[in-house]
Amino acid sequence: MSDLFPNAKEQYASIGVDVEAAIGTLQDTPISMHCWQGDDVGGFENTGELSGGIQVTGNYPGKARTIDELRGDFDFATSLIPGKKRLNLHAIYGDFSKGKADRDEIEYKHFESWVEWCSEKGYGFDFNPTCFSHDKSADGFTLSHPDKGTRDFWVEHCKRSRSIAAEAGKRLNNPVITNIWIPDGMKDIPVGRDAYRGRLNESLDSVLAEDQGALNIDAVECKLFGIGSESFVVGSHEFYMGYAVKNQTWLCLDMGHFHPTEQVSDKISSIQQFVPGVLLHVSRGVRWDSDHVVMNDDATNSVMEALVQGGHLGNTRIGLDFFDASINRIAAWVIGTRAAQKSLLKALLQPTQALQKLEKSGDFTSRLAMIENGKSLPWGAVWEEYCKRNEVAGEQLWLTEVKRYEAEILSKRA
Ligand code: RNT
Ligand code: ZN
């Protein structure tokens, strides 16, 4: 395979693309891998069921049941993924081995072993308060809850999450994103939308009141609808867009959280005019589900193109968000993460400057022709070379490794 690389490089050079520069940028762009693909968004509180309008379907054997198993699986997955990786952890994945803590009691000590592990392995760290799968969110509301006591509980949880993130950021000397997503919404049509949104606005102000410094970056994530919140989601796109612009937080765009015909790729250039940064939840919506395993498809390609064309890689964090329990969970991580990277590589291998010059001059014929002609260039050979340089299995080889791990390790987890 690698013999194809010099020729591929030449072909790209002939259209003005510097393959080594593309590889360099890909190498420098971390992907934040979500811990929750490893155990179906279960976490280690060992209480209750997944709730909040998100659902994991499937019962493929071998899911991680303990912190050690999850770490082992995550590590194994990253050994099959080239480039820089970050761990994106939810608060329910705390290390509660030395004592339980309710959501409004979590402290840095519950996450210290994770942060130390990240430091040892060279992973960055990102964090999320978990405002679901809890008694106090069972009726569907958290930060917008009509009851002040319940609201305060979730405000406290989110505040603590930010301070944990800031501490982790200090330890790793690398900014940590704290992404707030809440499930609040209604199955049927509300008559008092404003009250919910007013309370969410206020609660978020309380959550963000304390300055946590530059090593914590706050992001807020909108959604169109969830299971059981089909008619109304308090934290809609307009709500968080407004909130993020006003308060200069980052905005999280989950690719599965919009109407199926809306393109997240088209939103980036608008949003980046007004907020300090964008967190992506690279995902794949299928009908009602927002969280299928990411593929190297048009939606993912065009999101990466938007980042490259707009020069937004510096103030965008690429995170993943999907959960599939119907296939090998490690394979899901590997497929989804590599797919995001392949899309980014393809975007980096486009003759962006030349295309933008054509666009500026009004030669849309040549623009279209050049885009179309570029699609048959051998980007796959560049990807193989990238894997090889990172000492990671190539496209036709990684699955064998996953199957071996499944036979040796996962299959023993009855
Ligand atoms: C839910 C949001 C959110 C979650 C994770 C587990 O619709 O996408 O990001 O998937 O926080
Ligand atoms: Zn998401």
Side-chain angles (χ1 to χ4, degrees):
M1 264 314 247
S2 60
D3 292 342
L4 300 173
F5 179 67
N7 180 267
K9 203 167 156 175
E10 253 172 56
Q11 288 188 56
Y12 279 107
S14 76
I15 58 158
V17 171
D18 180 346
V19 167
E20 292 299 338
I23 288 180
T25 305
L26 188 61
Q27 190 78 56
D28 287 340
T29 307
I31 308 284
S32 191
M33 290 171 57
H34 53 315
C35 71
W36 52 92
Q37 165 56 46
D39 76 332
D40 312 341
V41 208
F44 303 121
E45 287 181 340
N46 299 319
T47 48
E49 300 220 310
L50 176 61
S51 72
I54 51 179
Q55 234 173 52
V56 186
T57 46
N59 54 4
Y60 198 87
K63 84 165 165 188
R65 299 159 302 178
T66 63
I67 287 200
D68 286 343
E69 287 181 355
L70 188 62
R71 285 180 191 160
D73 291 359
F74 188 88
D75 250 349
F76 178 67
T78 63
S79 76
L80 300 172
I81 296 164
K84 285 192 190 153
K85 275 84 62 171
R86 305 177 63 86
L87 168 74
N88 191 11
L89 199 76
H90 243 286
I92 46 171
Y93 288 80
D95 182 347
F96 303 114
S97 55
K98 293 190 195 102
K100 285 190 192 276
D102 203 351
R103 304 279 170 89
D104 63 342
E105 295 165 344
I106 52 165
E107 292 175 49
Y108 180 67
K109 67 176 185 197
H110 301 113
F111 300 91
E112 190 170 18
S113 72
W114 276 113
V115 176
E116 291 307 320
W117 181 74
C118 285
S119 163
E120 185 191 314
K121 301 283 178 181
Y123 304 136
F125 183 78
D126 291 307
F127 199 55
N128 308 261
T130 311
C131 301
F132 53 83
S133 302
H134 191 279
D135 287 350
K136 287 199 160 63
S137 66
D139 58 5
F141 300 96
T142 61
L143 292 178
S144 75
H145 205 289
D147 173 61
K148 175 145 187 341
T150 309
R151 231 158 47 232
D152 288 348
F153 175 87
W154 291 111
V155 166
E156 183 63 25
H157 175 59
C158 293
K159 278 182 168 172
R160 283 170 181 256
S161 296
R162 294 180 69 234
S163 89
I164 289 163
E167 193 62 35
K170 261 179 238 153
R171 171 66 185 89
L172 299 172
N173 193 25
N174 188 322
V176 171
I177 297 215
T178 305
N179 179 49
I180 299 180
W181 173 74
I182 59 163
D184 303 29
M186 288 190 203
K187 182 182 179 74
D188 226 328
I189 304 155
V191 292
R193 295 167 199 259
D194 304 66
Y196 287 88
R197 292 194 166 128
R199 287 191 294 262
L200 177 56
N201 195 358
E202 266 176 33
S203 292
L204 286 170
D205 283 353
S206 310
V207 168
L208 300 180
E210 197 175 334
D211 181 9
Q212 290 292 356
L215 291 169
N216 169 67
I217 297 174
D218 297 297
V220 287
E221 179 180 4
C222 75
K223 190 166 180 170
L224 182 63
F225 76 93
I227 304 166
S229 61
E230 291 85 359
S231 301
F232 174 57
V233 164
V234 183
S236 62
H237 178 51
E238 291 73 11
F239 179 91
Y240 281 127
M241 174 95 204
Y243 193 87
V245 170
K246 182 175 169 208
N247 298 288
Q248 289 299 291
T249 69
W250 284 37
L251 192 69
C252 173
L253 298 175
D254 185 309
M255 290 170 63
H257 286 192
F258 294 89
H259 193 277
T261 61
E262 273 184 271
Q263 294 293 321
V264 163
S265 50
D266 184 51
K267 299 178 189 299
I268 292 167
S269 50
S270 297
I271 291 166
Q272 286 282 18
Q273 309 275 339
F274 303 108
V275 297
V278 168
L279 169 64
L280 288 174
H281 272 188
V282 181
S283 190
R284 178 163 55 100
V286 177
R287 301 189 189 278
W288 56 265
D289 179 54
S290 61
D291 297 293
H292 276 58
V293 180
V294 169
M295 291 171 70
N296 184 223
D297 57 11
D298 285 350
T300 316
N301 289 339
S302 36
V303 161
M304 297 306 170
E305 282 165 11
L307 299 185
V308 171
Q309 291 164 357
H312 296 305
L313 282 173
N315 57 348
T316 303
R317 214 33 107 58
I318 304 173
L320 307 173
D321 187 9
F322 49 80
F323 21 96
D324 190 337
S326 72
I327 60 175
N328 180 303
R329 291 170 187 79
I330 294 170
W333 258 326
V334 176
I335 292 167
T337 313
R338 287 173 65 122
Q341 292 175 322
K342 282 186 277 183
S343 288
L344 177 57
L345 175 63
K346 283 163 78 172
L348 291 166
L349 289 173
Q350 289 182 3
T352 301
Q353 275 183 358
L355 284 165
Q356 288 178 340
K357 207 166 149 203
L358 290 171
E359 182 166 279
K360 205 171 166 194
S361 74
D363 186 354
F364 301 150
T365 309
S366 304
R367 180 185 63 182
L368 183 60
M370 198 183 238
I371 289 173
E372 217 34 37
N373 295 346
K375 287 181 183 167
S376 55
L377 288 177
W379 66 270
V382 181
W383 171 250
E384 288 297 330
E385 173 70 12
Y386 180 63
C387 289
K388 193 174 136 203
R389 290 186 191 180
N390 278 274
E391 297 177 16
V392 152
E395 220 53 5
Q396 307 308 323
L397 298 173
W398 67 262
L399 184 60
T400 315
E401 309 265 321
V402 172
K403 292 283 184 190
R404 187 179 48 74
Y405 189 87
E406 178 169 282
E408 284 171 12
I409 294 174
L410 301 182
S411 66
K412 313 228 153 91
R413 292 179 193 164

